[in-house]
Amino acid sequence: MSKTWIVMKNMLKIHYSRAGNNNSQIILLSIAGIFLFPFLFFYLGLINNAVSGLYELLEPFGQSSVIIGLLFLLLTALLFIISFVLVISSFYFAEDINSFIPLPIQPYQILLGKATVPLLYLYVTTFAIYFPVLFYFGSNSNASIVYYLLGIILFVFLPFIPFVLAAIFVMFIMRFVNIAKNKDRSKVLGGIFVLLMIILLNVVVRLNANPDEMMENFAQFIQEKDGLLQMITAAYPPALIGSKALTVAGWESLLYFLLMISISIGFIFLFIIVGQKLYLGGVLGINVGNKKNISSERLHKKLRKHPVWLSYLQKELRIIFRTPTFFMQCVVQSLFGPIFLVIILMMDSNFNSLSGTLDQFSYKQQILILFAATLFILSANATGISSISREGKSWHTNLFLPLDLKQVFLSKIAAGWTINLVSILLIAIGLIVVLDISWLLFSLWLALSFVASWFTSLMGTYLDFSHPKLHWTDEQEVFKARLIGFLALLFEFVPLGIIVVIIWNTPFVQGGIVTFVLLLLLMFIATALVHYLLQKKISNKDYQKII
Amino acid sequence: MIEIKDVSKDFAGKKRAIDSLNLTIPDGKIVGFLGPNGAGKSTTIKMMTGILPIDDGSITLNGHDIEKQPLQAKKIFGYVPDQPDMFLRLRGIEYLNFIGDIFDIPVDIRKEQIETLTETFNIHDALGDYIQTYSHGMRQKIIVTGVLLHDPDIWILDEPLTGLDPKSAYMLKEMMREHANKGNTVFFSSHGLEVVEQLCDEVAIIHNGKLLFYGTLDEMRKTYQSDQSLEHVFLELTNDE
Ligand SMILES: Nc1ncnc2c1ncn2[C@@H]1O[C@H](COP(=O)(O)OP(=O)(O)OP(=O)(O)O)[C@@H](O)[C@H]1O
Ligand SMILES: [Mg+2]
């Protein structure tokens, strides 16, 4: 057990190690904190209102337990989905495992080590959602000290079941796709497959939710005490057991509590047993494969002359598309958002055409909405914010080769811009096929998107240049345990988002074209400003200082 | 010719990595750069190549100041770093083409050079593979090939022979000799004293960031009044007690 502990500790250390730059990290954290603080009160207030409201409504019918039931259900669903993504990245994309294989430790110990980082994220998520509801429900129902005690202990066990379910699912799929020789490709395929599964799961759940039938059942279940709870948790018994542990009185509650804990522990063992069988076989021997002999003629065809900026851009794109982690983070995950959104939109409208949905807004508002939504999606793209960090220990190649650093940066921004084209194409399809917008609006939107795409890539690159993470051993570290994604949203989306709100409410800005010109002008100013800042850092030779 | 004038370098929170180093490496000579681990060899080389900023002093390569005219200076040297792990996700041929684009080499010269160089180093068959699948020595060879491709005046090599098989090491040494004989500059760091003895016209010995000796091997024997091996003198010189 002590060895397991050591492995877990080291995994965390690898994950969170930062070389130098501690002060600036603290400053960034403080900025983030200041921005988040008002949100905290808002968030707590929101939960308080929701819980008290529901409680007053349901208590007279003896159905208040359904609040806790809902909490367990929704939390589990959320943890389940998060687990998918975390398990993939930690189990299959992080290659820190190679340093643990030679050590005299059991496979299950490595597995538990691997589970540490995802579980940590799950606990943070659980903490933020579970405790507020738990405490507000407790204070509304004047719960005893036992309620709080059991509630707090249950917190420890909550993430286990969704995590194990997701982990086993992912391990099965990865085992299946890993038959292929090319591990790089199979990792990417597996990753995409799991993301598709999440979308599919969502679709299935939504299709099965039949409002009419539910209303019928509702009338029936509301007759008996805790009937609602039983109804909603029918598909997922652990939620029922957990809720009962917290809402029934006396010894019975303790019984449910122990049952819940035993099930959770049972799942951990299941994880270890299944994992030992499926996991190591699937990840070991990571090779890139793809050895092939190319004839001299074909080699010579590859020798072509390009201008330096294009050659550099090509190099960037090749590296992104060939490195599974970069490909998943920069390309696939940025597509996930738009696709997810379109499918949910289409489901909610029962596949009826959504065309004309935008017609209820004025022309000016339509442009603002499209612009803000696009800017948000582009800000979430990880290509810009990893421009410098992706290089890792090879950053010095940019310095000893006779490259104009300004050109290097421009090519890197261009790489982000090029990858954004995929998102823009996807949104474009959505706009034309689903929303059926006019061609004029479409062209205005397209022009704005191209400029916004340059701006977000530029800003991301600038932010990454300010606080790069070059000393990584694993590509995952470029994206995880860094504030940069959040900062990107803060600096790329928030200021312009506020401006959009202001324009929306400014009566003397009228008409689509005026709004368009105004937005375009603002984007140009913002872009020029950041270019100026970037140039200052380049002239200051900051590129040598980040090594 | 490389001129290092009064160069110093500090790393935050450490003792001086390089302490007012003065060194002039002439044309037409192979100069070996010796020193124990952590002496400051790689740090010096990284300042020469523009990777690390120079805290004090200046470095010029054939008259071009690396800090004031970085582009001109970088065009005339080729550098083989001590860690050859770069551009791992590119195929060998793509890497060489990238170098060709950066140094603006005509395509027919690329073809010819790549063909002969990779045959010499025996990595021609691996050109279509990702550099990631290369062994340590193969990675070094592809980088050396990249350097030779643009035929720079000055060669700066950080432990170039570590990890090369005997034949490739021999080939590289021959090439270094040939390059120096044409009146060019070759500067390399090494831990292999026999190689230095056999190959170098002059040696520079650095210890704790300070230059201890610069000159030919004969001068060294004279200075330290020793007819013993370079190994002996080196151990004596760099002895801290
Ligand atoms: N990035 C860095 N940050 C802090 N200190 C550094 C850094 N790089 C090198 N040093 C320090 O500078 C000194 C010189 O290191 P350098 O790499 O130049 O040694 P070296 O002579 O190349 O050694 P070796 O023979 O092991 O390659 C060492 O004390 C080292 O710890
Ligand atoms: Mg060194």
Side-chain angles (χ1 to χ4, degrees):
Chain A
M1 203 59 211
S2 66
K3 270 188 196 162
T4 311
W5 182 236
I6 292 171
V7 175
M8 291 167 111
K9 245 179 21 199
N10 273 305
M11 291 269 180
L12 275 181
K13 246 192 230 151
I14 293 173
H15 199 78
Y16 286 100
S17 69
R18 289 201 186 93
N21 252 341
N22 268 326
N23 274 333
S24 58
Q25 287 284 353
I26 290 171
I27 294 172
L28 287 183
L29 267 174
S30 322
I31 295 178
I34 291 169
F35 268 90
L36 285 182
F37 203 63
F39 274 106
L40 185 69
F41 281 102
F42 178 68
Y43 172 70
L44 289 179
L46 204 71
I47 290 192
N48 188 8
N49 282 341
V51 172
S52 336
L54 275 175
Y55 190 84
E56 270 164 40
L57 187 76
L58 292 166
E59 177 53 21
F61 303 98
Q63 303 292 348
S64 62
S65 61
V66 79
I67 297 173
I68 294 290
L70 268 177
L71 168 68
F72 276 92
L73 266 188
L74 294 180
L75 185 61
T76 309
L78 183 68
L79 293 182
F80 187 60
I81 289 178
I82 299 177
S83 298
F84 266 127
V85 180
L86 290 175
V87 166
I88 290 197
S89 69
S90 166
F91 280 34
Y92 291 92
F93 284 79
E95 295 188 355
D96 48 3
I97 183 163
N98 288 333
S99 42
F100 289 96
I101 294 292
L103 301 178
I105 43 180
Q106 291 283 329
Y108 80 85
Q109 290 173 317
I110 296 181
L111 203 62
L112 288 177
K114 280 284 187 187
T116 322
V117 174
L119 277 175
L120 194 76
Y121 281 100
L122 294 187
Y123 275 117
V124 173
T125 312
T126 312
F127 184 88
I129 295 173
Y130 177 71
F131 276 125
V133 180
L134 184 79
F135 280 103
Y136 286 127
F137 184 79
S139 71
N140 271 298
S141 60
N142 291 320
S144 65
I145 186 87
V146 181
Y147 163 87
Y148 290 105
L149 209 67
L150 296 187
I152 290 171
I153 300 175
L154 272 187
F155 164 75
V156 179
F157 294 88
L158 273 180
F160 288 159
I161 299 177
F163 172 74
V164 172
L165 285 176
I168 290 178
F169 185 78
V170 170
M171 287 192 288
F172 255 114
I173 291 178
M174 281 311 203
R175 191 68 232 244
F176 183 68
V177 292
N178 248 359
I179 303 167
K181 280 235 180 63
N182 188 334
K183 300 255 169 167
D184 265 5
R185 198 170 302 154
S186 55
K187 278 203 295 196
V188 169
L189 278 180
I192 293 175
F193 187 76
V194 169
L195 289 182
L196 287 180
M197 283 305 295
I198 297 180
I199 294 180
L200 197 71
L201 201 78
N202 213 289
V203 171
V204 170
V205 169
R206 272 161 185 274
L207 282 181
N208 281 334
N210 184 337
D212 296 339
E213 199 180 317
M214 262 163 64
M215 283 319 288
E216 233 169 73
N217 289 341
F218 187 80
Q220 191 187 330
F221 277 107
I222 207 162
Q223 308 289 331
E224 51 183 303
K225 186 165 161 43
D226 295 338
L228 267 188
L229 175 67
Q230 306 211 348
M231 175 183 123
I232 64 161
T233 57
Y236 184 68
L240 177 68
I241 297 167
S243 315
K244 289 247 173 187
L246 291 182
T247 50
V248 298
W251 286 109
E252 213 186 332
S253 109
L254 207 61
L255 220 67
Y256 279 115
F257 173 74
L258 289 178
L259 188 60
M260 183 71 183
I261 289 183
S262 328
I263 294 176
S264 300
I265 293 178
F267 265 85
I268 297 179
F269 279 105
L270 186 72
F271 170 65
I272 290 176
I273 293 165
V274 176
Q276 191 133 350
K277 282 221 159 57
L278 289 179
Y279 179 55
L280 282 185
V283 282
L284 281 188
I286 287 161
N287 63 2
V288 209
N290 216 5
K291 279 214 172 249
K292 51 181 173 198
N293 282 333
I294 303 186
S295 67
S296 283
E297 284 146 59
R298 292 220 16 228
L299 277 183
H300 286 168
K301 277 207 197 102
K302 294 204 165 230
L303 291 175
R304 262 207 223 117
K305 203 162 169 169
H306 302 290
V308 177
W309 70 268
L310 184 60
S311 201
Y312 199 97
L313 173 61
Q314 258 180 4
K315 179 213 102 181
E316 287 290 306
L317 292 176
R318 280 188 175 132
I319 291 177
I320 291 174
F321 277 88
R322 288 173 186 175
T323 313
T325 305
F326 295 162
F327 181 67
M328 288 301 292
Q329 294 279 353
C330 299
V331 184
V332 176
Q333 288 198 14
S334 68
L335 298 186
F336 184 65
I339 294 183
F340 201 76
L341 218 84
V342 166
I343 289 185
I344 301 290
L345 271 177
M346 287 177 65
M347 302 275 316
D348 277 353
S349 64
N350 285 324
F351 295 104
N352 289 338
S353 144
L354 280 170
S355 62
T357 315
L358 277 178
D359 290 349
Q360 53 183 304
F361 297 104
S362 73
Y363 208 38
K364 158 186 160 184
Q365 291 170 332
Q366 291 180 12
I367 288 190
L368 289 175
I369 292 173
L370 291 185
F371 172 73
T374 309
L375 186 68
F376 183 79
I377 289 173
L378 295 179
S379 301
N381 189 291
T383 316
I385 54 167
S386 58
S387 283
I388 314 297
S389 303
R390 280 198 308 268
E391 299 255 2
K393 290 177 190 113
S394 336
W395 173 245
H396 67 285
T397 53
N398 294 299
L399 306 185
F400 71 74
L401 290 172
L403 288 163
D404 180 359
L405 263 294
K406 197 172 168 186
Q407 195 166 55
V408 168
F409 279 93
L410 287 181
S411 292
K412 281 179 178 294
I413 297 166
W417 190 86
T418 312
I419 286 183
N420 277 341
L421 285 181
V422 190
S423 303
I424 292 180
L425 180 73
L426 222 85
I427 305 173
I429 294 174
L431 290 183
I432 294 174
V433 177
V434 184
L435 292 180
D436 193 24
I437 65 173
S438 74
W439 284 105
L440 176 63
L441 184 59
F442 180 80
S443 341
L444 297 184
W445 164 80
L446 196 65
L448 279 177
S449 301
F450 284 159
V451 184
S453 166
W454 186 267
F455 171 72
T456 54
S457 303
L458 167 68
M459 191 68 179
T461 305
Y462 178 76
L463 288 173
D464 193 33
F465 187 24
S466 308
H467 302 276
K469 170 133 190 153
L470 293 173
H471 299 274
W472 45 263
T473 45
D474 189 289
E475 289 117 4
Q476 287 287 322
E477 295 166 44
V478 173
F479 305 95
K480 294 281 157 60
R482 281 180 86 202
L483 274 174
I484 191 131
F486 171 74
L487 285 176
L489 274 185
L490 201 67
F491 286 106
E492 291 164 19
F493 180 69
V494 174
L496 287 159
I498 292 173
I499 288 175
V500 163
V501 173
I502 292 174
I503 298 181
W504 184 287
N505 290 308
T506 308
F508 54 81
V509 179
Q510 284 296 344
I513 304 291
V514 174
T515 314
F516 165 77
V517 172
L518 193 60
L519 284 177
L520 203 61
L521 209 67
L522 280 168
M523 290 305 300
F524 278 138
I525 294 173
T527 308
L529 186 72
V530 184
H531 264 301
Y532 169 74
L533 291 174
L534 181 65
Q535 185 53 41
K536 245 174 89 176
K537 277 179 92 64
I538 295 176
S539 312
N540 195 23
K541 300 206 169 181
D542 278 4
Y543 47 83
Q544 282 183 323
K545 295 173 190 152
I546 57 178
I547 282 199
Chain B
M1 188 163 78
I2 307 172
E3 287 177 280
I4 303 176
K5 283 198 198 119
D6 274 324
V7 165
S8 296
K9 174 88 199 157
D10 286 303
F11 286 112
K14 290 203 170 178
K15 64 178 198 315
R16 292 230 123 154
I18 302 294
D19 198 358
S20 23
L21 183 72
N22 277 294
L23 188 61
T24 302
I25 294 145
D27 290 338
K29 298 248 165 76
I30 301 183
V31 177
F33 197 24
L34 301 181
N37 293 131
K41 300 184 296 296
S42 299
T43 306
T44 308
I45 289 179
K46 282 178 183 160
M47 287 191 288
M48 288 162 70
T49 50
I51 296 171
L52 287 175
I54 303 171
D55 290 356
D56 263 319
S58 68
I59 298 178
T60 55
L61 300 119
N62 283 357
H64 299 291
D65 190 305
I66 184 70
E67 298 224 280
K68 298 201 182 97
Q69 304 163 289
L71 274 187
Q72 287 95 318
K74 286 171 190 176
K75 275 190 184 130
I76 52 174
F77 71 76
Y79 164 58
V80 177
D82 47 351
Q83 308 277 342
D85 309 323
M86 41 197 223
F87 301 107
L88 296 181
R89 297 278 174 179
L90 295 190
R91 300 174 198 282
I93 190 76
E94 290 167 350
Y95 167 68
L96 295 176
N97 197 45
F98 180 59
I99 294 292
D101 284 339
I102 289 179
F103 286 92
D104 202 17
I105 302 165
V107 174
D108 43 334
I109 296 185
R110 285 184 211 186
K111 277 182 194 162
E112 205 184 291
Q113 284 279 60
I114 290 173
E115 204 67 30
T116 41
L117 288 169
T118 53
E119 289 293 352
T120 314
F121 285 132
N122 206 11
I123 48 170
H124 188 267
D125 288 346
L127 277 180
D129 300 336
Y130 291 137
I131 297 181
Q132 192 160 37
T133 65
Y134 288 17
S135 71
H136 179 84
M138 288 162 78
R139 289 178 190 182
Q140 244 166 332
K141 290 181 195 170
I142 196 87
I143 291 170
V144 172
T145 308
V147 166
L148 300 181
L149 186 63
H150 64 92
D151 192 24
D153 293 342
I154 300 176
W155 291 6
I156 301 171
L157 319 166
D158 200 349
E159 300 187 33
L161 297 167
T162 331
L164 290 191
D165 58 46
K167 184 184 162 226
S168 309
Y170 175 77
M171 297 304 302
L172 183 60
K173 283 188 279 185
E174 288 291 295
M175 288 174 180
M176 286 159 81
R177 186 76 269 164
E178 209 177 295
H179 194 64
N181 287 347
K182 281 193 258 171
N184 296 313
T185 311
V186 178
F187 182 65
F188 77 105
S189 78
S190 179
H191 289 299
L193 297 178
E194 311 85 58
V195 175
V196 171
E197 250 176 331
Q198 156 204 358
L199 189 65
C200 292
D201 304 308
E202 294 180 344
V203 292
I205 299 182
I206 187 175
H207 185 38
N208 288 334
K210 289 197 178 76
L211 189 70
L212 293 185
F213 173 81
Y214 176 71
T216 62
L217 287 166
D218 284 339
E219 282 166 1
M220 177 190 250
R221 294 204 179 89
K222 255 183 232 149
T223 315
Y224 298 99
Q225 287 157 359
S226 148
D227 44 341
Q228 278 166 311
S229 65
L230 173 61
E231 184 179 28
H232 188 85
V233 178
F234 180 79
L235 291 178
E236 281 284 302
L237 263 178
T238 55
N239 193 346
D240 276 326
E241 277 93 62

